[in-house]
Amino acid sequence: RDYDCLNVLLFSLCFCPGCFECCVKCLGVLPYASLFATILLYAGVALFCGCGHEALSGTVTILQNYFEVVRAPVETLDVLTMIDILKYVIYGIAAAFFVYGILLMVEGFFTTGAIRDLYGDFKITACGRCVSAWFIMLTYIFFLAWLGVTAFTSLPVFMYFNIWTICQNTTVVEGANLCLDLRQFGMVTIGEERKVCTGSEKFFKMCESNELDMTFHLFVCALAGAGAAVIAMVHYLMVLSANWAYVKDACRMQKYEDIKSKEEQELHDIHSTRSKERLNAYT
């Protein structure tokens, strides 16, 4: 069935030149740079949101099972409530950047069409330049925001790396009394004592459990996703800046062509008037 579809496609391209030209024209106006940046942005946001959400769920499981952290009353802001808030923030990030990627992709289509076909369906206007400039400013703000998100995501990666390293080197530090205290990380108040020491049964259960290893690697993937989103924002900045410069030059060229055609029309009218005057004088 796929072979028959391929034959039909080849037949259409060979015996229907209009279809081939239409395909070439469509591929010619495709903004490849914006498309690549959009794919990279979606991949990074999906990796960050998906892995970050599951890593936060794994963190809640570790805190409740091994550090005996209980959920505080509703009016109190504790670490578990903050984790729930971060989950809702992740939902908002996923939805917002899905829409923003579509908007940037549409802007890339319109800008590419305006550059390729100055006098066609896409008109270059001052509004279009203002929209491009607005997207540049907004993308720069999102770039700074994703830098902050990347720095924030590196903190749990560092914390879990320390815990994972202690678990891997328990035989090396045998005899040493090392403790993991949540007060050191600011997760609980100073009055609460939530710690697990290397010689305890809870410590060995935590190190042997899948939650610790899985949560650590999920946070690493979330950090990689945030880094990919930062690279996508940088790529968008380059694309938008180049498009804005091209549109600005195209506007100047269009104004020059309009002035030139107007002058040529005036010269033609003057030449026609003089020819008529000479003809009348001869007559």
Side-chain angles (χ1 to χ4, degrees), residues 23-40 101-116 122 235-236 238-240 242-243 246:
C23 292
V24 171
K25 185 178 180 181
C26 292
L27 293 176
V29 299
L30 187 66
Y32 293 100
S34 298
L35 179 62
F36 174 77
T38 303
I39 294 174
L40 184 61
I102 293 176
L103 292 177
L104 289 178
M105 192 65 189
V106 171
E107 193 272 343
F109 269 108
F110 276 91
T111 306
T112 303
I115 293 172
R116 298 291 179 86
F122 302 106
H235 197 84
Y236 267 129
M238 293 188 295
V239 171
L240 291 171
N243 288 343
Y246 290 154

Side-chain angles (χ1 to χ4, degrees), residues 192-259:
E192 298 182 69
E193 185 177 349
R194 294 288 186 269
K195 64 180 180 179
V196 176
C197 298
T198 54
S200 63
E201 183 180 357
K202 289 184 179 180
F203 179 80
F204 289 107
K205 286 184 178 180
M206 182 181 66
C207 292
E208 293 176 357
S209 64
N210 294 326
E211 288 88 358
L212 180 64
D213 188 69
M214 181 63 67
T215 304
F216 170 59
H217 288 90
L218 284 174
F219 270 119
V220 172
C221 293
L223 180 61
V230 171
I231 297 175
M233 290 294 105
V234 174
H235 197 84
Y236 267 129
L237 282 175
M238 293 188 295
V239 171
L240 291 171
S241 300
N243 288 343
W244 186 81
Y246 290 154
V247 168
K248 186 176 180 180
D249 292 339
C251 289
R252 292 178 178 177
M253 183 62 67
Q254 185 175 358
K255 291 180 180 178
Y256 171 76
E257 293 293 338
D258 292 339
I259 295 173

Side-chain angles (χ1 to χ4, degrees), residues 38-101:
T38 303
I39 294 174
L40 184 61
L41 177 63
Y42 281 168
V45 172
L47 192 63
F48 171 77
C49 294
C51 295
H53 183 273
E54 294 301 319
L56 290 175
S57 300
T59 301
V60 172
T61 302
I62 293 173
L63 292 177
Q64 291 178 342
N65 293 341
Y66 305 107
F67 290 92
E68 298 180 353
V69 177
V70 295
R71 190 176 295 275
V74 180
E75 62 274 5
T76 304
L77 184 63
D78 62 340
V79 60
L80 298 181
T81 305
M82 293 179 62
I83 290 176
D84 292 337
I85 294 174
L86 290 177
K87 287 183 179 180
Y88 286 110
V89 170
I90 286 176
Y91 300 150
I93 289 174
F97 279 92
F98 176 77
V99 176
Y100 189 67

Side-chain angles (χ1 to χ4, degrees), residues 101-154:
I102 293 176
L103 292 177
L104 289 178
M105 192 65 189
V106 171
E107 193 272 343
F109 269 108
F110 276 91
T111 306
T112 303
I115 293 172
R116 298 291 179 86
D117 194 2
L118 297 180
Y119 301 101
D121 297 330
F122 302 106
K123 298 298 182 181
I124 303 172
T125 61
C127 180
R129 284 181 291 170
C130 291
V131 170
S132 297
W134 170 255
F135 273 123
I136 292 174
M137 183 183 67
L138 197 60
T139 304
Y140 185 75
I141 295 174
F142 285 150
F143 164 71
L144 296 178
W146 275 109
L147 280 180
V149 170
T150 304
F152 181 77
T153 310
S154 63

Side-chain angles (χ1 to χ4, degrees), residues 178-191:
L178 301 177
C179 295
L180 300 173
D181 196 343
L182 295 182
R183 292 177 294 182
Q184 298 174 345
F185 305 107
M187 292 186 177
V188 295
T189 59
I190 301 297

Side-chain angles (χ1 to χ4, degrees), residues 8-32 109 116:
V8 172
L9 178 62
L10 293 176
F11 178 81
S12 301
L13 294 177
C14 292
F15 296 96
C16 183
C19 298
F20 180 76
E21 293 177 359
C22 182
C23 292
V24 171
K25 185 178 180 181
C26 292
L27 293 176
V29 299
L30 187 66
Y32 293 100
F109 269 108
R116 298 291 179 86

